[in-house]
Structures are given as C-alpha cells and as structure tokens.
Amino acid sequence: MTPVPAPRRRTVLGGAALGTLATAGLPGQAQAAPAAPAAPVAPAPPGDTSPAGSVSYRNKQILVGGKPALVLAGEIHYFRLKKADWQSRLDKAKAAGLNTIASYIPWMWHELPDGTIDVTGRTRPERDLGAFIDLCHRNGFLFIARPGPFTMAELKGEGVPERVREDHPQIVSTGWNDAPATTPTVDYLAPAFLEEMRHWYAAVMPLLAERLHGSGGPVISVQLDNEIGMLAWVSNSPDLTDHLTADFDGWLRAEYGDGLAGRYPFTGEDLSGRRKAIRHPEDAYGAALMHDLGRFMRGRFARYVAELRSAAEEYGVTGIPFVINIHGTSDSRAEPFPIGISQLMETYGGVEGTISGADFYLGDLTLRNVTDLYLVNAFMDAVNDDDQPVTALEFDAGHADYGQNMDNQTSPSGVDLKTRLCIAQGAKMLNYYLFAGGFNPKLDKPAGDGNDRIGITGERHGFAAPVDPEGRPGVSYAPTRQTVRAMGSLADVLAPMRTTYDDVVLGFVPDHYLTEYHPPKLASVQRVLDEAVNTRGAGPRGSLARAMLLGGFRYRGVNLQAGDLDPKAVPVLALATGEHLGAELQRRLVRYAEGGGKLLLSGRLPVKDMADKRCTVLADALGIEAGKTLTDANRFWLSVTAHGWAAPLPEVRLSRAQLCEPSRGTTVLRELSTGKGCGFDIPLGRGRAVVITTDYQCDLTFWERAFSALDAAPALRHSATDPGVFLLTTADGERGRLLHAFNVSSGYDQDFTVTENGKPLFGGEKLRLPGRTAAILPLGLTAGGLRIAYATAEITGVADGRATFRALGAPGATGAPAGESVVAVDGPARCDGARISTEGGRTVLRVRRAEFTVRRG
C-alpha cells in the first residue's frame, strides 16, 4: 500500500465566529419548520485552530469551522418556484437527509428589460435571493451559490441576458472558417464581457458576502461560472474573435520565438494574414494548431477565472472555497470527461482557495461505465494538489427520463452505487442535481420566441428529479433519501477519511484530450483525433482501466505532465498510448524506466508527437521498431496467441494489432497469420516495460500476468468468480479504516472471502453482496467508543457507546432474507439476541437480524 504523503496545511481565508441569522419568518412566509441538523462534521483534528465560522480544505478534507464535513447537497432552483413553495421543497430536502442546498443564480432572471438588476424581490417575490438563502439557513441548511455569469440549467442564452450579446456584438464568437457559433458562447476575456460580468457581480456578490459562513450565514462555497469552455467544445466552434486571435497570435510568438516559422508557414504575414490562417487552417499545420490552441485556451480560462475571483473578492466574497465545475459526460458514459479536466486544470489545479467539482450524468452504474466514474474521480484528483478534495457539483439524481417521453429510467441502485463510489474515492461534497423540479416563468418582456419563457424545456422543468415540479416525490425520491441518510449517518466517520491505494498508478496525459477544437476536414487532424479517441485514458476498448479495477487494484491517477516521476513513489505506471505522445513525455517515460520504474503500455507504440510529426524517443529507447497495424476486416479474422509468461491462454480474436520488431526482451503476444510480435517484455535501464500493442480484451487473467511480470499485485483479493466485484479502502490515521465493497454486476449475488497480502480479513468469514449493491464495512475502526475489529454487516451509524449495523442483503436493499452477520469488537460488547463468544480480548457476536445494535460492555 502506498503511504499517503503528509500534505501541507491549506486554509482558505478564515471567517469570523459562527453566528446565527434571525429565525423569524420572512414577510408573507409561514414560520419555518424545525431546523434540520447542520452539515455533519467530525471532531476537529488535534491542534486545529481554524476560526469557528471558517470554511477551508486540507488533507483532502472540507473543513467547516475547522472540522471535517461531508457536504450532501441538493439543487433547488428558487427562481422556478413560487416563493410560497420554497418551504415545502426544503422540507423534502430535509426529510431526505440533505444538509446543504445549492442553486444557480441566473443573471438573465434577475436582470430587467431596462438593464437594471433585481436581487431583492422588488419586481417579483421570486427574485428575492436573500430571502431564499435566509430561509435555507433558518431550516438548518448550508448553501452553495452558483451565480455564473453562465449558468446553463436549460436557460435561454445559457443564463446570460441576450442584451449582453446584442449590445456587444464583438464578443459573439465565430469559429472555424468564420462560421457563426451554433451555441450562445462569447469571448470570455473580451473587455466588454468582463465589464458586464462586473456589473452582474456588483449586484449579486455583496448579497452573498453578507451571508458567508464566516459572517454567521450559510454560504460555504461559490461556483465561478459554469462548465467553462463547454459550449465551444460541443459545437467545435472555438471563440476566434478578433480579440482572441490577437491574443493567441501573441501567445504563439512568446511560446515558440524564433522556432515559430518552422511550425507555421504563415508566421511572416501581417496580423490580418495570420488571423486568416488561424481561422482557415491547412492540413500542413492543422494538428499543431489544434494542440496549440488547446494549450493556449487552458491559460486563457485560468486568466478568466482569475478575473471572476478578483471581482467576487472585491465585492466581499472571501473566506470560502471557490469551485470550478467540470463538464463532459454524454450517453451514460464519461469517456470524453477528461477533456473538461484538460481544459480547466489551470483554473484550479494547485490554485489556493479553489477546488474542482465534477458534472456527470451516468444513469445506472454498471460494468459498462463503472470505470468511467472511477476515472472521473481519479483524473480529477491527479490534477489536484495534496490538499484539494474531490467533489461533484452536479451529481445526477432522478430517474433520467429527461425528455419526459417514458423511454428512459434508471434503477434504484444507480444513485446509491455512484454515491458510494465517489465517497470511497474521497469525494467530500456531492450536489444531487436536480433535486426538485419547478416551472419556467414567463419573461418580463416577450421575445416572440415561441413561448416567451426563461427556459428551453417548456413550462415544467425537472420532471425527472426526485421531487417533481408540483412538489410530489417521484420514483427516485425514496432511493435517494435512503442513500443520503445512510451516508449522513456516517458523516463523522467518512468526512476525515482518505482513500488508500496499491502501488500501481494510471497515467493521465492532459494533452491527449486537447481535441475539443479540431479544424474540420484535415487529414492530420483526423489522424490525431482517431488515435486519441480510441486509446487515451482507459486504453483500447477501455480494457486497461477496467482490468485494473476489476482485477483488484486500488489505483490512483497521476498527471504525467506535472513533472518527472520518482520510481520509489510510483513503482508501477500503467499508461494507455496511441501513435501520438509529446517528445518531452516520451523522454520522461524513458527516464522513469531507466531509473528503476516499471512501465505497462497498452495501445499502439508512440511514434509521433501531438503535432503529428515523427517522434520515436520512447520506441528507440525500448529497442522496438513499429511496423504496420493490422485490423480485423472482411474475411480476415485477426487473432493473437500468448507466449512466455502470458501463456497458456486461448488464441484470441481482436480488431487491431500493431506488429513490431524488438531488438531485445521477450515476445509475449504474436499475431497468428504472420507470427510477428504485438506484446513484449523489455528491460530498460534499471527498470522494465511491458508493451501491449493490441486492443487486447479485458481478460483479467492476461492483465494479472502482465502486472505480475512487473512485480505488481493487488494487496486486497476476493474469491468471487464472476465479474463485477471490487474493493476499495479509506483510512483515518489511528482511528482505523473502512472497506468499501461493490458488486456492480446486473443482479448476480456474490459470496466471497477477502484476504490482504495473503492473510484473511473478517476472520475468514464470507461476505454476501447482492448484485447492484455496495457496503461500507469497518476494519479496525474506532467509532462510538467501540474498537470494531471487523464486521460482515454494514455499519449504519455510531453514537456514544454503540454502533448500528445492517446485514448485507437485508430487506431495504434487495428484499433477501438476512443471513448471519459477524461483528468482532476489541473488549467487552453485547447485542440483543446475538450468539457471543470471546477470542482473547475480543468479543465475537453472531447475529441473524436485518438490523441490530452492538453496545459497549
């Protein structure tokens, strides 16, 4: 197990001691219901001296008043509800166990036709933002504010008033070949847009500043803009305004200096000519332009966020973390999600006072997409520093019939499995989006756009949410409530935990995702795109990342562009590769292996850089000459055979294999018809490399042998024979640890034992995990005054002198009868109806009940 490094302390500007806002009802409002508990928090770390009202982050934790907190939020759009209905929706959130409310704050809703801004409700009660936040506070909720400027949320103009674009046509984007943008994006750094942004922030930020947690209010975080860069990405229409292209031109000259002429043939032309060449690229430099524009936009987004943060702080918003929302899922998959990380990494990665939040919509969690969510969290964390936690600012809730067409529905297990996986990977803040639906009100001034409403979804909005627009609990409310309350009951245990890992790391190459702006119809660009999409991240067919997870490795991600790797800290590095890998990264991998690192490469051997120019640094060091790539075609059944440590395995049909000629090492895979190699084990300096140049399937036996050849094996193993079971762990110093067990198979129950480094866990007892369920099991955990050595039942709550448990497979999960649960406690313990024995100083309790309580003494 890789020891977690001791991170430096990071505290976002502290606030004043926590006070309370008035508890009297607002004018025209009924008296609030009794307050829900504030965000569950764990005891403060020893020596923590954070002010009582401060909100900060440290050691992968979110600290509220100096104490680790698990923030479980629900998105409720006050502007889509009558003011009189606000309380009823908060009551639903309270009953579900949420401790925080989040909401977009749409600029276009609060701006009036004359350009003035109403955030006090003088024109409509539903514009009284302060009243909504105060009501949340009186109900015991914390608050996450999401004021844009862009908010999306299916609002017209994505939440930015149309007036802004009409008044400043120079900020409206045109893309490749001067084509108008098909999305309402703008040039974020255009001076006119920044001036308009400040006009909006001047109205909304002081109101939020008055309600910051450090000032006695509920606001614990502010999101800066929303899904930055997403609109231009999904439309492949970069913001090639005159302002941006001049900025990009200056960046190119600063970046390449005298070498620019060798990269771009248009270097000697005047600005007008260079601008035309950027907007109308040619094949000779198309791939280079795609790569450079992506790198340039990373820095530009960071400058934009700096402008937003500066304005927010100028208007008094300090002492809380700012959050950047990352976009990138579609069709229940997250394969393109790291594009968002790559775009926005410089806006938050290592930036003090700012953290990132995922925005994902995956529906059910299954064998097909479980690795997608795992990689969302792993790659986000790879960019974070040692203090920044993982969060989810839009965690898909509801039954997924977003089109209100009765053609889609997620199962009750979806929200539970996704929540548990995120928490097992270190997420400390989850915002269930959308928690409660509502209605799109009419615009103040008719626009003649068909319905004259603020949103694009018609009159009703959020019909797939756990709470429907009319305020009725839907089919997804009960499972969401069950999950949230289960996690909330363990908040003081979960909040300080850190994820623990094996000594295997998956490499993340942000530049492999610089494909959001691809010049159309250029051969060089298409080559880079095709190769990147087929191989990056999870590997060909997703096999590498999936085999690692289902094969038992608790792996983390590492940003390979952040610097050289220390083989002692990263003994084994797995990396999905294609033809394209930057020269410096190729050199970095060579230095890593030569210094003693062990490298597993899956995919075609890199022989080009990201500009589609020949670069064979890594291949030359490995002593491999890359040959042609065979593909499975009509009447040619491409097959490979196993040799050396990979054997024996059956001959396997694949769709692609790159044939290579090695000068040393061992060949472990051969293409059947030619006998040429497509899998190799090669010594390199003091290290070693296993190179698999096929799209090998997710055969756990093969991949286990590949990692074993690099002396890597998972510390935790289970005896389940069917796919779908995997195990993760979190730990909290001397307090102990938790095992997070998952079975994502489609309804197939699994009974298995668990070992760690060959030694039985749970006293050798079997665990029973029904299909599509997960469980949190204590291992040497001190909680509620008990030292729980292990339990084969899920811990559901702790209090002074007792802990409650739920049997795996008990009613409420699958309806199956509860089997025998075993709980072992150091010292004396008791449980009504249990068979009790003692082993040394340990009490072992055997219980046949669905739910039970173990007490001290």
Side-chain angles (χ1 to χ4, degrees):
M1 182 181 296
T2 302
V4 177
R8 60 192 180 283
R9 180 181 175 84
R10 176 186 299 279
T11 300
V12 183
L13 303 174
L18 177 63
T20 57
L21 295 180
T23 57
L26 292 173
Q29 290 287 309
Q31 182 70 26
V41 296
D48 192 290
T49 58
S50 300
S54 69
V55 183
S56 59
Y57 59 87
R58 175 182 57 81
N59 197 22
K60 302 294 185 185
Q61 303 166 347
I62 290 179
L63 306 177
V64 178
K67 298 178 180 180
L70 183 63
V71 178
L72 299 171
E75 182 95 5
I76 298 177
H77 292 162
Y78 65 95
F79 54 92
R80 283 182 161 127
L81 296 166
K82 294 295 185 183
K83 190 173 183 180
D85 291 333
W86 288 352
Q87 182 62 55
S88 72
R89 303 315 190 267
L90 295 182
D91 289 342
K92 298 290 195 308
K94 195 182 308 182
L98 299 171
N99 56 48
T100 304
I101 300 299
S103 182
Y104 285 124
I105 303 171
W107 179 4
M108 63 91 68
W109 167 241
H110 288 280
E111 180 170 301
L112 307 179
D114 64 1
T116 61
I117 294 174
D118 175 16
V119 292
T120 63
R122 61 183 173 83
T123 57
R124 290 195 189 187
E126 291 74 28
R127 288 193 173 113
D128 193 345
L129 173 61
F132 179 71
I133 298 175
D134 293 346
L135 185 62
C136 291
H137 190 222
R138 291 206 307 277
N139 278 269
F141 291 108
L142 302 175
F143 192 79
I144 300 169
R146 309 176 72 194
F150 280 86
T151 49
M152 286 63 175
E154 293 76 49
L155 292 167
K156 292 174 181 176
E158 310 295 353
V160 174
E162 192 58 34
R163 174 200 61 80
V164 174
R165 299 176 185 87
E166 292 173 352
D167 288 355
H168 310 287
Q170 72 275 21
I171 75 173
V172 177
S173 301
T174 55
W176 302 119
N177 303 314
D178 295 315
T182 57
T183 54
T185 184
V186 302
D187 180 350
Y188 291 116
L189 282 182
F193 183 69
L194 292 180
E195 183 178 351
E196 291 283 5
M197 173 273 292
R198 284 183 167 270
H199 168 67
W200 165 235
Y201 271 24
V204 70
M205 290 299 175
L207 184 145
L208 298 177
E210 293 173 358
R211 292 165 173 80
L212 295 175
H213 197 268
S215 300
V219 179
I220 60 168
S221 184
V222 171
Q223 179 183 307
L224 297 174
D225 213 295
N226 185 57
E227 298 174 344
I228 298 169
M230 182 271 291
L231 294 171
W233 161 25
V234 298
S235 61
N236 188 27
S237 182
D239 306 327
L240 299 180
T241 62
D242 285 354
H243 179 259
L244 186 143
T245 48
D247 194 5
F248 181 42
D249 179 73
W251 180 88
L252 287 173
R253 292 178 176 278
E255 181 73 10
Y256 292 104
D258 294 340
L260 185 60
R263 191 169 179 87
Y264 293 107
F266 56 79
T267 303
E269 299 185 25
D270 60 15
L271 178 58
S272 176
R274 297 195 300 273
R275 177 175 285 140
K276 181 178 179 181
I278 290 169
R279 290 173 172 166
H280 301 258
E282 298 175 359
D283 190 58
Y285 59 87
L289 183 66
M290 176 173 66
H291 186 66
D292 284 340
L293 183 60
R295 291 199 301 131
F296 161 74
M297 290 302 294
R298 274 190 198 138
R300 206 166 193 269
F301 290 144
R303 285 187 282 146
Y304 172 57
V305 168
E307 291 280 354
L308 296 175
R309 179 170 172 173
S310 175
E313 291 175 336
E314 177 184 332
Y315 294 116
V317 177
T318 59
I320 58 171
F322 293 101
V323 191
I324 303 299
N325 197 20
I326 304 172
H327 45 265
T329 61
S330 62
D331 299 323
S332 300
R333 299 301 304 272
E335 291 172 321
F337 185 91
I339 291 176
I341 300 176
S342 177
Q343 284 183 302
L344 300 178
M345 54 190 278
E346 292 182 9
T347 68
Y348 68 86
V351 177
E352 186 167 357
T354 303
I355 57 179
S356 62
D359 172 348
F360 62 81
Y361 296 86
L362 294 173
D364 286 324
L365 199 68
T366 65
L367 279 171
R368 180 173 180 263
N369 66 1
V370 65
T371 312
D372 294 25
L373 181 53
Y374 191 93
L375 290 190
V376 164
N377 293 320
F379 284 172
M380 282 176 61
D381 196 48
V383 173
N384 290 345
D385 64 20
D386 287 338
D387 288 323
Q388 291 170 314
V390 170
T391 78
L393 259 287
E394 288 187 31
F395 182 106
D396 61 322
H399 55 70
D401 184 15
Y402 301 118
Q404 201 176 10
N405 199 40
M406 295 189 183
D407 59 356
N408 190 23
Q409 187 177 80
T410 55
S411 68
S413 65
V415 67
D416 189 61
L417 288 170
K418 289 178 294 188
T419 296
R420 289 170 179 270
L421 181 54
C422 286
I423 287 176
Q425 288 187 264
K428 303 304 182 187
M429 179 163 66
L430 301 176
N431 179 31
Y432 293 90
Y433 188 101
L434 183 66
F435 179 75
F439 299 86
N440 289 310
K442 290 282 189 176
L443 296 164
D444 288 271
K445 181 180 179 181
D449 60 5
N451 63 10
D452 294 322
R453 296 187 180 275
I454 68 169
I456 65 174
T457 53
E459 182 178 4
R460 299 173 79 241
H461 180 83
F463 20 78
V467 178
D468 76 4
E470 289 75 20
R472 300 168 299 201
V475 295
S476 62
Y477 180 81
T480 300
R481 178 182 184 274
Q482 180 177 334
T483 296
V484 172
R485 293 183 75 85
M487 297 303 100
S489 68
L490 289 179
D492 70 327
V493 175
L494 296 170
M497 290 275 173
R498 286 196 64 160
T499 307
T500 49
Y501 301 100
D502 289 304
D503 289 334
V504 172
V505 173
L506 183 66
F508 172 45
V509 180
D511 281 4
H512 280 168
Y513 292 89
L514 287 179
T515 56
E516 62 270 30
Y517 315 124
H518 41 275
K521 300 179 181 179
L522 300 181
S524 63
V525 170
Q526 199 59 49
R527 283 194 297 270
V528 176
L529 275 174
D530 289 346
E531 193 70 4
V533 170
N534 286 333
T535 59
R536 63 192 176 190
R541 302 170 64 178
S543 295
L544 176 61
R546 188 179 302 113
M548 291 171 67
L549 181 64
L550 299 180
F553 285 109
R554 298 162 295 163
Y555 61 91
R556 61 188 176 92
V558 62
N559 177 9
L560 292 182
Q561 293 178 209
D564 280 3
L565 299 180
D566 180 359
K568 293 180 180 179
V570 183
V572 180
L573 170 67
L575 178 65
T577 62
E579 274 197 314
H580 303 91
L581 186 65
E584 176 52 35
L585 281 184
Q586 292 194 34
R587 287 189 286 268
R588 184 165 293 161
L589 293 178
V590 173
R591 291 193 295 269
Y592 166 75
E594 289 180 339
K598 296 174 181 178
L599 183 63
L600 191 152
L601 302 178
S602 175
R604 287 212 283 183
L605 192 68
V607 292
K608 296 180 179 180
D609 64 15
M610 297 306 297
D612 201 41
K613 305 300 182 185
R614 185 166 177 79
C615 179
T616 59
V617 173
L618 180 58
D620 293 344
L622 291 168
I624 299 178
E625 182 178 349
K628 66 179 180 179
T629 298
L630 296 183
T631 58
D632 198 26
N634 185 34
R635 296 186 178 276
F636 180 74
W637 318 113
L638 177 65
S639 300
V640 299
T641 55
H643 306 268
W645 50 252
L649 284 174
E651 170 194 311
V652 178
R653 269 201 60 213
L654 301 174
S655 61
R656 189 165 78 163
Q658 184 184 37
L659 309 184
C660 301
E661 295 289 344
S663 62
R664 62 180 188 276
T666 304
T667 299
V668 297
L669 292 177
R670 294 185 183 276
E671 193 275 321
L672 183 63
S673 69
T674 64
K676 292 187 176 180
C678 51
F680 313 94
D681 186 343
I682 299 171
L684 180 56
R686 290 186 285 127
R688 192 172 176 182
V690 168
V691 184
I692 307 301
T693 60
T694 74
D695 59 343
Y696 208 87
Q697 62 194 18
C698 187
D699 179 342
L700 298 185
T701 299
F702 170 78
W703 291 106
E704 180 183 23
R705 290 173 182 173
F707 280 105
S708 180
L710 299 174
D711 301 317
L716 288 174
R717 292 184 180 272
H718 59 76
S719 63
T721 56
D722 295 324
V725 172
F726 61 93
L727 310 172
L728 304 176
T729 50
T730 56
D732 177 24
E734 295 181 357
R735 193 176 183 186
R737 59 181 179 150
L738 298 169
L739 183 137
H740 304 256
F742 295 84
N743 180 2
V744 297
S745 64
S746 299
Y748 298 102
D749 296 355
Q750 304 269 13
D751 294 280
F752 55 91
T753 57
V754 180
T755 61
E756 184 171 36
N757 297 318
K759 297 180 180 179
L761 292 181
F762 303 101
E765 301 282 348
K766 279 190 174 182
L767 304 180
R768 181 175 187 274
L769 203 57
R772 305 190 63 74
T773 67
I776 298 174
L777 305 175
L779 283 172
L781 180 72
T782 299
L786 298 167
R787 180 72 176 181
I788 305 168
Y790 63 83
T792 66
E794 177 168 60
I795 186 168
T796 59
V798 295
D800 186 28
R802 66 182 187 275
T804 56
F805 294 87
R806 180 177 60 83
L808 303 186
T814 65
E820 183 176 73
S821 302
V822 182
V823 179
V825 178
D826 291 342
R830 57 193 172 87
C831 175
D832 293 343
R835 291 191 297 117
I836 300 176
S837 61
T838 57
E839 300 175 2
R842 180 173 292 173
T843 303
V844 179
L845 306 103
R846 297 179 178 273
V847 188
R848 283 189 172 273
R849 290 210 311 277
E851 296 181 355
F852 56 93
T853 300
V854 173
R855 292 177 170 82
R856 182 177 57 215

